Amino acid sequence: MAGFKGGNNNMQSLMRQAQKMQEEMEKTAELLDDWEVVGTAAGEAVVVYMNAKKIINGIELDESIVDPTDVEMLEDLIMAAINDGYAKADKVYEEKMGKYGDMGALGGMI
């Protein structure tokens, strides 16, 4: 190309930058696997543990809220705690992966 100098060097530099960004994104994604998020409901009577990728690792229930005659309330509290955790996980994910833009979506895996 006439008048275009250093095109190969610029392309190599861009490729190195892209590779570095990909490596950083992968490390950050691994960090999200280990990041503990805690969702709660009813003043922590229901606690849901998950990672920042919204994988639930455990649920704790205070026995005082377990009423066999009102299972629907317990189901609602569990869902509220899960949704609380999901909102917190979304915030962590956006803080850590947002800088990668569409590349941060991990190909739709999350």
Side-chain angles (χ1 to χ4, degrees):
M1 288 183 176
F4 188 70
K5 296 182 180 180
N8 197 28
N9 286 339
N10 286 338
M11 183 59 79
Q12 288 175 351
S13 176
L14 284 174
M15 292 299 288
R16 281 193 300 272
Q17 288 175 346
Q19 183 176 3
K20 181 180 178 186
M21 185 178 201
Q22 178 71 27
E23 290 169 0
E24 289 174 3
M25 186 181 71
E26 289 171 4
K27 287 179 185 176
T28 302
E30 289 175 15
L31 173 73
L32 295 176
D33 284 329
D34 296 329
W35 197 286
E36 184 176 64
V37 175
V38 180
T40 63
E44 296 187 4
V46 178
V47 180
V48 175
Y49 299 95
M50 65 183 70
N51 68 18
K53 290 184 178 178
K54 300 180 182 177
I55 305 298
I56 296 173
N57 301 315
I59 297 175
E60 290 181 5
L61 304 174
D62 184 310
E63 64 183 49
S64 68
I65 64 162
V66 180
D67 180 355
T69 63
D70 194 1
V71 173
E72 188 175 335
M73 183 206 50
L74 182 57
E75 292 169 344
D76 289 345
L77 290 174
I78 292 169
M79 288 303 299
I82 289 170
N83 288 331
D84 181 53
Y86 278 4
K88 291 173 181 175
D90 284 341
K91 185 176 179 183
V92 170
Y93 183 88
E94 182 58 35
E95 287 174 5
K96 300 298 178 188
M97 297 297 284
K99 64 183 173 186
Y100 300 112
D102 289 338
M103 287 181 62
L106 295 178
M109 290 175 46
I110 298 178

